[in-house]
Amino acid sequence: AHSLVLAFGRAREARRDGANTLMLARALTEAGKNDEAVALYQEAAERFPSPVFRQELSQLWISRGRPAEALAVTWAALLAHPVDGAAPLLPAMLQLALQEIALLTELGQEHDAEARFARLMAAHPDAGERAVDLAEKLRRGGDPDAAMGLLDALLEQRPQHGPAARAQIWALLDQRR
């Protein structure tokens, strides 16, 4: 990873395109240079229109145990790219919307999480399967409470996802034992 950081050093100075900037931010994260990665993601999020920078910055904050910062970045991305309209939903934005719901749950704001999930599901009915996938990722990442909150919201809004979500819930309960 260190060689990647050096290789993309010139790209960082030039900051000519989003692809090089994204590659450098990922290399910095891999190299453990999280403060530099955060600064680069923040700058790129302002400079380039893609929501990917904010998505990855939010995930970096989560991995550093800072859900409030992750939520702030997520809200900024969702403000710039609303997900409750009829426009096609970019995968990065769906991930951010689901991440927001999980973060709200983790921060004890279940009512807000359920309301946001209801709006997301009304606008994008296919988001349910992605919610189950994110819950599994959260569970494997050591955050069973956020995973459980997301699955509870899914069951509340879309009973037809019950079998998949219930299987995930049983796995979460087993993990807690």
Side-chain angles (χ1 to χ4, degrees):
H2 182 66
S3 60
L4 282 174
V5 172
L6 294 176
F8 290 106
R10 291 187 195 109
R12 181 175 183 198
E13 290 173 15
R15 292 184 179 99
R16 291 189 183 137
D17 65 63
N20 283 338
T21 304
L22 183 59
M23 289 170 57
L24 176 60
R26 287 175 176 165
L28 288 168
T29 302
E30 243 182 74
K33 298 181 179 285
N34 292 328
D35 292 337
E36 290 178 43
V38 164
L40 189 57
Y41 277 126
Q42 288 172 331
E43 179 184 323
E46 296 302 317
R47 188 176 166 115
F48 303 107
S50 172
V52 172
F53 295 105
R54 286 190 173 107
Q55 176 195 9
E56 292 198 15
L57 177 57
S58 180
Q59 290 172 342
L60 181 57
W61 282 128
I62 290 169
S63 72
R64 295 181 79 185
R66 297 176 64 178
E69 286 89 343
L71 189 56
V73 169
T74 300
W75 280 340
L78 293 172
L79 184 62
H81 305 276
V83 296
D84 53 1
L89 191 58
L90 298 170
M93 291 312 303
L94 176 58
Q95 178 73 20
L96 274 170
L98 293 171
Q99 208 164 279
E100 174 197 28
I101 293 161
L103 286 166
L104 286 168
T105 301
E106 186 173 329
L107 293 171
Q109 300 174 26
E110 289 87 4
H111 180 69
D112 291 338
E114 288 175 14
R116 292 196 192 276
F117 195 77
R119 285 197 317 267
L120 176 66
M121 293 300 289
H124 304 282
D126 60 331
E129 291 304 314
R130 297 286 298 275
V132 172
D133 293 342
L134 177 59
E136 177 62 18
K137 184 177 175 183
L138 289 166
R139 183 190 68 79
R140 278 186 268 135
D143 198 348
D145 292 332
M148 187 70 90
L150 188 57
L151 291 170
D152 283 341
L154 176 62
L155 285 173
E156 186 86 19
Q157 296 301 317
R158 294 287 191 239
Q160 71 269 25
H161 291 294
R166 282 189 188 88
Q168 295 295 332
I169 288 172
W170 283 112
L172 289 169
L173 291 173
D174 286 344
Q175 181 182 356
R176 286 185 175 174
R177 290 181 191 160

